Amino acid sequence: MTGRNRIVAPGFIDVFSDLFSDPLKYFIKKLKDHKQITEKDLLTTLSDKDLFYIISFGVIKKMLRGFTTIVTSLSKLDPVIKMLDLISERIIVLLDLDHMSREEALDYFIRSKRWHNYKKLLKISVMTGREDLFKELSPHVPREMPIVIKGNLCIKDPVGRKIIRLDPKDLSCDNYPIIYTDEELFNQMITTGSRKDLLILFGSGSKGYIDYRKILRTYDYNIMMSLMTRVGSEIYNTASGSIEPGRLSDVVIYDLSEAPLIAPSIDLNIISQIILEEQPKIETLIVGEEIVIDGGELLSVGRDFFEKTRSRFIELFSELSK
């Protein structure tokens, strides 16, 4: 390979993604329209095996867009462990245990923490909107990991740990980095222009699907590349957000020699096309020391996996639609 018609970039970081609802967003919408079923209702009906298929499918979708690190919020860890035995991808799981009592949450988190750094791919932290859980769990979160607080909870970690805020309406709480997943909230914040000192990122999330075109026209190429690589890496301490001599980095190589199936928007740069799923073909994806995509083919799973996943989605929809 000569490098002609190729783009080499650091692996991208999705700073917050819902690996449950994102792969099933159209499926969930149809169920809501049909039977008023919520995501919470759906979660309680799914087995760990179902969650494994759904999460794996969501991860593969991200990998095929060049993402090598995915931050997600889940209340169960077992399906992720099973997925990592099949697919090499950096996953940061923010355990959301707000539905549990303090005692239950502490017990579950301590038992889950033994998987931190599993295969050098899995990182574990906490996401909470409850002050009592924050105080209970924060001393047990691995020291290098940030804690994500939801909504307008404003609290400091007594040992000075990094904090990230998710979808706050109140921006007066210190200068913590903010991640928005809600389109309405995000639009309010960029419209008011308040708190220019804040680092505001955006993830695919679960509450809404952000109008990325609006965002992408707000930021230039260099800012977008930085937010999706170096900045995301810094706030989550992944050490994988840049390509430098002597540094182990995640790498994605795009093949520009073939036109994409969907014609890209003429006014969007390569980074913007990737976010909008109008990206060129991925030739190679390297996570850590492992090549996971080569020649455009995913090396760890074959077509049979996708067929099993598709069949199970259809079965689930039939069962829940009755």
Side-chain angles (χ1 to χ4, degrees):
M1 185 176 74
T2 64
R4 178 176 293 181
N5 293 320
R6 304 296 193 277
I7 288 181
V8 180
F12 296 120
I13 299 169
D14 192 330
V15 294
F16 190 83
S17 178
D18 191 327
L19 287 179
F20 169 69
S21 66
D22 188 38
L24 295 179
K25 56 186 175 185
Y26 302 113
F27 173 73
I28 290 171
K29 184 179 185 305
K30 284 190 175 183
L31 280 177
K32 284 181 177 177
D33 293 343
H34 182 64
K35 291 189 69 177
Q36 299 298 307
I37 292 177
T38 66
E39 291 176 32
K40 188 175 180 181
D41 295 332
L42 188 56
L43 263 174
T44 59
T45 66
L46 296 176
S47 67
D48 282 359
K49 186 175 182 180
D50 290 332
L51 287 172
F52 158 73
Y53 278 119
I54 292 167
I55 289 168
S56 298
F57 186 74
V59 167
I60 290 169
K61 277 185 63 181
K62 297 285 185 184
M63 292 169 68
L64 292 172
R65 292 170 59 195
F67 288 91
T68 57
T69 300
I70 301 169
V71 182
T72 190
S73 172
L74 295 166
S75 57
K76 287 185 175 182
L77 197 58
D78 291 349
V80 177
I81 303 298
K82 186 177 179 183
M83 183 272 297
L84 288 174
D85 288 333
L86 179 69
I87 303 166
S88 292
E89 178 80 337
R90 297 187 195 278
I91 306 290
I92 298 173
V93 174
L94 307 170
L95 286 172
D96 187 347
L97 308 175
D98 281 8
H99 60 289
M100 297 183 179
S101 68
R102 288 174 56 183
E103 294 76 14
E104 290 171 333
L106 179 60
D107 177 68
Y108 187 83
F109 185 79
I110 289 175
R111 285 189 287 112
S112 300
K113 196 171 75 167
R114 74 184 189 275
W115 295 104
H116 184 69
N117 278 328
Y118 180 62
K119 292 193 168 185
K120 298 183 180 179
L121 295 172
L122 178 63
K123 303 286 186 181
I124 297 173
S125 187
V126 167
M127 182 174 82
T128 184
R130 287 171 47 186
E131 186 171 349
D132 62 326
L133 275 194
F134 180 92
K135 292 178 177 178
E136 190 75 46
L137 299 178
S138 62
H140 303 279
V141 173
R143 188 69 182 86
E144 75 275 15
M145 297 303 296
I147 298 174
V148 176
I149 54 177
K150 297 185 287 186
N152 290 324
L153 179 63
C154 184
I155 192 169
K156 289 186 178 181
D157 186 75
V159 296
R161 189 189 313 271
K162 188 180 295 182
I163 288 175
I164 300 168
R165 302 184 72 202
L166 184 73
D167 289 331
K169 295 179 181 177
D170 178 10
L171 299 185
S172 63
C173 180
D174 290 302
N175 62 341
Y176 300 138
I178 293 173
I179 296 172
Y180 280 110
T181 66
D182 184 281
E183 183 179 357
E184 184 177 342
L185 275 177
F186 179 82
N187 288 336
Q188 286 177 11
M189 294 307 112
I190 62 173
T191 301
T192 60
S194 58
R195 292 299 301 271
K196 295 289 188 181
D197 59 317
L198 293 177
L199 171 62
I200 299 180
L201 303 174
F202 19 85
S204 53
S206 60
K207 297 180 182 176
Y209 297 94
I210 290 173
D211 182 357
Y212 277 118
R213 293 180 187 275
K214 191 180 299 181
I215 296 168
L216 295 170
R217 292 189 176 92
T218 305
Y219 295 98
D220 67 21
Y221 176 91
N222 291 325
I223 293 175
M224 286 304 304
M225 174 63 87
S226 177
L227 290 175
M228 292 180 66
T229 55
R230 182 183 58 79
V231 175
S233 174
E234 287 175 357
I235 67 171
Y236 284 110
N237 296 322
T238 66
S240 60
S242 62
I243 300 174
E244 300 174 20
R247 177 172 177 165
L248 186 65
S249 300
D250 297 339
V251 175
V252 57
I253 302 175
Y254 291 98
D255 180 359
L256 305 183
S257 63
E258 299 178 20
L261 293 176
I262 302 173
S265 303
I266 196 167
D267 58 343
L268 295 178
N269 58 52
I270 289 292
I271 303 302
S272 305
Q273 292 173 30
I274 290 163
I275 296 175
L276 293 170
E277 302 188 45
E278 299 172 342
Q279 78 276 21
K281 175 185 174 184
I282 286 183
E283 181 168 80
T284 303
L285 190 73
I286 304 172
V287 179
E289 298 177 328
E290 185 172 349
I291 298 174
V292 294
I293 295 176
D294 193 33
E297 296 291 329
L298 195 65
L299 301 182
S300 53
V301 298
R303 291 185 180 274
D304 59 330
F305 175 83
F306 291 100
E307 285 304 314
K308 285 180 183 177
T309 304
R310 177 178 171 276
S311 297
R312 185 54 187 149
F313 283 2
I314 293 170
E315 288 174 10
L316 277 172
F317 185 74
S318 299
E319 291 168 8
L320 294 168
S321 297
K322 293 176 181 176

